[in-house]
Amino acid sequence: MADIIRLLPDHVANQIAAGEVVQRPSSVVKELMENAIDAGATDIQLIIKDGGKTLIQVVDNGKGMSGTDARLSFERHATSKIQKAEDLFNLNTKGFRGEALASIAAIAHVEMLTKTEEDEIGTKIKIEGSKIVTQEVVVAPKGTSMLVKNLFFNIPARRNFLKSDQVEYRHITDEFHRIALAHPHVAFNFYNNGSDVFQLPANDFRKRIVHIFGRKTDEKLVPVEEETQVVKISGYIQKPEFAKKSRGEQFFFANNRFIKSPYLHHAILGAFEGLIRPGTHPGYFLNLEVDPATIDINIHPTKTEVKFDDEHTLYAMLKSTVKHSLGQFNVVPALDFEQDQNLDTPYSYKNKQVGVPQVVVDSSFNPFETVKPSQSNAVSGGGSYTKPKVDGWENLYAGLETTVDSGVSHLEFESEVVNSSIFDDEKEVVDHSTTTFQMRKKYIITTIKSGMVVINQSRAHQRVLYENFLKNITIKEAISQQLLFPLTLSFSTGEINILKEIKDNLCTVGFVFGEITEDGVEISGVPVLVVESEVQMIMEQLISDFQQEVPGDSFSQSDMLAKTLAKTLSVKTGETLDEFSQVKLVNDLFACKETTLSPFNKKVYITITENDIERKFI
Ligand code: ADP
Ligand code: MG
């Protein structure tokens, strides 16, 4: 048999390697910015268009490259940063693989402009799909400009796989945050589609955090400081009361490199234990300085995972240092005797003009009308109850009158005072011929022809709300209630970006937005079901869900929004429902398109047939 093994041509090998290094536009941003840092730049500009798909440019004032180096830099395994294997154990640079530029040049149109301090004249190289198109000498300032256009132009499958511009933009912002936080002494500018997103002057770490995450962050920070032989820990944690629903602001840096470490994260959670509400996440910005010889950053090509020699010691130290800082913070007296109590206005009202309160009247309201068809689509679930159109559903209740002993209907399983009605209007339209009981503030039990159904109240309500919200988003007909005073909520730039992304959908469910600035958003209207005091919590939950699971298209975005709202607004286990609400919930559930599963694929109810019961009596 003839020999069949061949060495791959370089450009093919480069394309394959590129798959490892460049997953999406943000990977290019990371590699180029890290190269700029490694080149000793003190000023770095990042310019992107269309989520980085059309253009990514990084301009630095670092040491630049000679003509020969410029050309060599695009070769695979070409690096100035290490020479021998031992160098790997004493790394002070971000890069060391010499793979990034070769990979990027294999899958995009790249233009490099570079000049060193000593050289009079600079070099310009154009390279497309690993092929050098031109190399010329040009006039250029000291430093390097890398322009990357049309990412994945020669791999359509990869290009199609990219998410929306907004989603890619968000990944880039995340990457930008990480690098800008790791290098507060370097100035950064970030432009997106022609407008500037961040102007970060060289600063100390605390000011850098505040510049990125907004003015209000400053008051939340508690310093952390500890130096031992193994590690120097420095940075900030956020006060426990500011723990958020979202996981956004959690950063570890090891020797000025952003790292992910579930293990060390766990140490922080341990230190915060008992101080934050369940389901919320503490914020932290922590630098760990260790001897480069005791850390291995080589275990993953994209290099956010690292291995420490002595992780257990690090864990223990981190936990006790953070605990110590929290303790110090807690013993500081909270009373401020200097303060004049009379001046203590809530700051959101300070400097505000007092306006005439606005009253919104529902002009279509007719007190003599028994059924308001316009509200039947309302998210409130308090809309009129119409007989469900589900085929065969009526049969469930058929013959009930004869089988139910009327005396039984007054039995109550729960002795607590019934205090909650989720649907408190238009009671008369509900069919009271059905009997329901609530059990353990968790289940609604009702009888059907063949026996009984046990319904999980929370899941059932989630299903009802979910379908309602989804319908509202689709037909864009939600009813919102105007707030007397618009609420101003503060968020980080990253969170604001997410809000902007989902804003259109939020409007369709009934949120009304006022001004959106870079660190805050004004909300002047909310869906009928939403209570004003819960708006912040709901927004945080939404942002957190979207942060963790990035929905690709607008359908999954609507779906996710409906799910989150349903989850947050549904009645929970432990809530007592009055009889009206119970019946309404049962009826609404069986009017749903899907009744058996909650939006999160959990069983909504079980049925127990008369036969099942009979068998127990044998
Ligand atoms: P690595 O960073 O792992 O060495 P890269 O492919 O990213 O590999 O870069 C290859 C080489 O090109 C670097 O080692 C460096 O010498 C040079 N280089 C890349 N970007 C810059 C820059 N912005 N300024 C100066 N030199 C650069
Ligand atoms: Mg590099």
Side-chain angles (χ1 to χ4, degrees):
M1 193 175 116
D3 300 335
I4 50 170
I5 297 180
R6 306 256 177 286
L7 277 181
L8 288 174
D10 262 2
H11 70 277
V12 179
N14 281 340
Q15 254 192 34
I16 295 170
E20 282 264 288
V21 182
V22 185
Q23 277 116 20
R24 53 184 354 139
S26 64
S27 338
V28 174
V29 167
K30 173 175 191 278
E31 295 296 338
L32 296 184
M33 288 184 58
E34 289 190 343
N35 279 349
I37 301 267
D38 284 346
T42 55
D43 194 317
I44 298 175
Q45 318 223 6
L46 168 65
I47 299 149
I48 63 158
K49 279 210 181 109
D50 307 324
K53 293 175 192 167
T54 326
L55 174 133
I56 297 168
Q57 185 177 17
V58 173
V59 184
D60 70 54
N61 64 351
K63 64 175 186 245
M65 281 173 269
S66 70
T68 324
D69 277 356
R71 180 125 190 186
L72 252 182
S73 69
F74 289 108
E75 294 292 324
R76 206 138 55 93
H77 307 307
T79 179
S80 57
K81 299 169 193 174
I82 56 169
Q83 290 173 0
K84 44 190 189 311
E86 295 85 82
D87 294 347
L88 272 176
F89 302 104
N90 194 18
L91 265 184
N92 290 311
T93 55
K94 303 273 156 309
F96 57 89
R97 296 163 175 271
E99 276 179 338
L101 292 190
S103 300
I104 295 167
I107 44 126
H109 296 158
V110 179
E111 268 179 59
M112 173 200 275
L113 188 66
T114 185
K115 189 185 93 67
T116 62
E117 180 94 72
E118 311 83 57
D119 289 336
E120 289 286 305
I121 201 107
T123 309
K124 182 172 171 179
I125 294 182
K126 257 190 174 181
I127 176 166
E128 299 182 349
S130 299
K131 287 191 203 62
I132 303 253
V133 181
T134 53
Q135 172 160 7
E136 35 189 344
V137 284
V138 289
V139 178
K142 177 205 160 200
T144 306
S145 154
M146 293 287 302
L147 193 81
V148 176
K149 289 193 290 194
N150 309 322
L151 196 66
F152 297 128
F153 78 97
N154 50 358
I155 319 181
R158 291 296 293 275
R159 194 168 169 90
N160 293 337
F161 197 67
L162 293 177
K163 299 278 170 65
S164 70
D165 289 0
Q166 278 163 323
V167 171
E168 295 301 341
Y169 168 62
R170 210 159 80 214
H171 285 287
I172 292 176
T173 314
D174 284 347
E175 209 59 71
F176 179 85
H177 284 167
R178 295 167 180 180
I179 295 174
L181 284 170
H183 302 277
H185 301 298
V186 176
F188 290 92
N189 293 303
F190 179 8
Y191 303 90
N192 174 38
N193 291 335
S195 55
D196 59 3
V197 190
F198 285 109
Q199 304 288 328
L200 308 174
N203 240 320
D204 61 30
F205 190 41
R206 183 171 191 136
K207 293 217 182 73
R208 176 58 52 91
I209 296 171
V210 173
H211 267 130
I212 292 180
F213 293 103
R215 271 172 296 126
K216 299 239 171 70
T217 319
D218 200 31
E219 59 185 282
K220 303 180 188 171
L221 300 177
V222 183
V224 176
E225 201 78 63
E226 180 65 83
E227 191 163 358
T228 69
Q229 283 184 330
V230 186
V231 59
K232 180 172 173 223
I233 302 170
S234 66
Y236 299 89
I237 48 175
Q238 291 195 9
K239 295 178 189 167
E241 72 251 41
F242 295 107
K244 282 197 186 178
K245 287 269 183 190
S246 65
R247 272 172 235 240
E249 291 158 23
Q250 300 177 328
F251 295 88
F252 279 125
F253 302 94
N255 296 354
N256 296 326
R257 182 195 296 274
F258 171 80
I259 59 156
K260 277 189 186 148
S261 169
Y263 182 65
L264 296 183
H265 172 74
H266 192 262
I268 309 280
L269 292 186
F272 272 90
E273 204 177 281
L275 296 173
I276 55 177
R277 276 173 296 139
T280 60
H281 306 273
Y284 55 85
F285 310 86
L286 294 171
N287 298 306
L288 311 172
E289 270 173 69
V290 294
D291 177 353
T294 66
I295 174 174
D296 181 4
I297 43 178
N298 209 355
I299 62 173
H300 197 275
T302 54
K303 294 174 276 183
T304 51
E305 263 102 77
V306 298
K307 220 180 134 12
F308 296 95
D309 273 2
D310 196 353
E311 257 186 343
H312 295 310
T313 316
L314 216 54
Y315 181 102
M317 274 175 190
L318 201 56
K319 185 168 168 179
S320 72
T321 307
V322 170
K323 258 198 167 152
H324 182 68
S325 290
L326 283 168
Q328 270 184 334
F329 155 70
N330 276 337
V331 296
V332 175
L335 288 176
D336 185 352
F337 295 106
E338 307 275 301
Q339 210 172 352
D340 181 346
Q341 295 299 321
N342 296 326
L343 295 177
D344 211 355
T345 5
Y347 56 70
S348 57
Y349 292 135
K350 252 186 212 167
N351 311 326
K352 265 210 178 138
Q353 287 280 324
V354 180
V356 182
Q358 290 180 341
V359 178
V360 181
V361 178
D362 178 3
S363 56
S364 67
F365 177 70
N366 174 358
F368 302 106
E369 203 175 46
T370 44
V371 173
K372 283 186 276 170
S374 72
Q375 280 210 351
S376 58
N377 289 327
V379 175
S380 76
S384 68
Y385 165 62
T386 41
K387 265 270 187 222
K389 290 173 226 57
V390 179
D391 282 349
W393 174 86
E394 284 87 345
N395 300 342
L396 286 176
Y397 289 87
L400 265 183
E401 285 79 2
T402 50
T403 50
V404 174
D405 174 353
S406 64
V408 179
S409 69
H410 298 294
L411 268 182
E412 276 187 19
F413 277 29
E414 294 288 334
S415 54
E416 282 85 357
V417 187
V418 173
N419 57 8
S420 161
S421 166
I422 40 172
F423 317 106
D424 45 15
D425 52 349
E426 298 176 82
K427 297 197 179 208
E428 66 284 358
V429 295
V430 171
D431 179 0
H432 274 285
S433 62
T434 317
T435 316
T436 57
F437 307 109
Q438 191 182 27
M439 191 181 102
R440 299 213 162 268
K441 298 187 195 171
K442 184 171 183 185
Y443 301 106
I444 309 291
I445 297 170
T446 185
T447 33
I448 53 172
K449 197 178 175 190
S450 61
M452 62 197 260
V453 247
V454 182
I455 301 169
N456 180 309
Q457 64 185 43
S458 177
R459 293 177 188 178
H461 199 208
Q462 280 178 4
R463 169 49 68 183
V464 171
L465 291 175
Y466 169 72
E467 291 200 4
N468 262 321
F469 278 119
L470 214 53
K471 191 158 69 186
N472 276 301
I473 296 173
T474 328
I475 60 172
K476 303 193 182 347
E477 235 182 53
I479 299 177
S480 69
Q481 50 183 349
Q482 201 86 23
L483 297 174
L484 216 45
F485 298 102
L487 284 173
T488 308
L489 308 178
S490 66
F491 290 107
S492 72
T493 318
E495 290 169 335
I496 291 284
N497 285 337
I498 295 177
L499 268 186
K500 282 185 184 159
E501 249 173 70
I502 54 176
K503 182 177 159 225
D504 287 350
N505 267 335
L506 286 174
C507 292
T508 61
V509 294
F511 285 99
V512 183
F513 289 89
E515 200 194 355
I516 301 187
T517 61
E518 62 179 28
D519 63 357
V521 55
E522 195 181 80
I523 292 175
S524 56
V526 294
V528 258
L529 257 194
V530 172
V531 189
E532 190 172 329
S533 58
E534 286 178 350
V535 178
Q536 173 95 33
M537 190 267 290
I538 291 170
M539 287 291 167
E540 280 182 13
Q541 183 70 53
L542 279 168
I543 290 172
S544 150
D545 284 358
F546 276 79
Q547 244 165 5
Q548 264 146 64
E549 196 179 316
V550 180
D553 49 53
S554 84
F555 171 74
S556 34
Q557 201 187 79
S558 319
D559 187 63
M560 196 154 151
L561 181 65
K563 276 187 188 153
T564 302
L565 287 171
K567 179 174 66 188
T568 1
L569 297 173
S570 59
V571 288
K572 307 284 179 311
T573 299
E575 282 181 51
T576 313
L577 298 182
D578 62 18
E579 202 186 323
F580 168 80
S581 299
Q582 295 172 22
V583 175
K584 179 87 170 76
L585 183 56
V586 173
N587 289 344
D588 283 349
L589 171 68
F590 288 108
C592 282
K593 289 205 185 95
E594 155 73 61
T595 56
T596 50
L597 293 174
S598 83
F600 303 94
N601 281 331
K602 298 266 172 56
K603 214 182 257 185
V604 173
Y605 63 87
I606 53 158
T607 48
I608 300 170
T609 62
E610 206 182 329
N611 269 342
D612 295 336
I613 299 170
E614 301 273 321
R615 250 178 282 140
K616 299 249 177 222
F617 281 101
I618 297 172

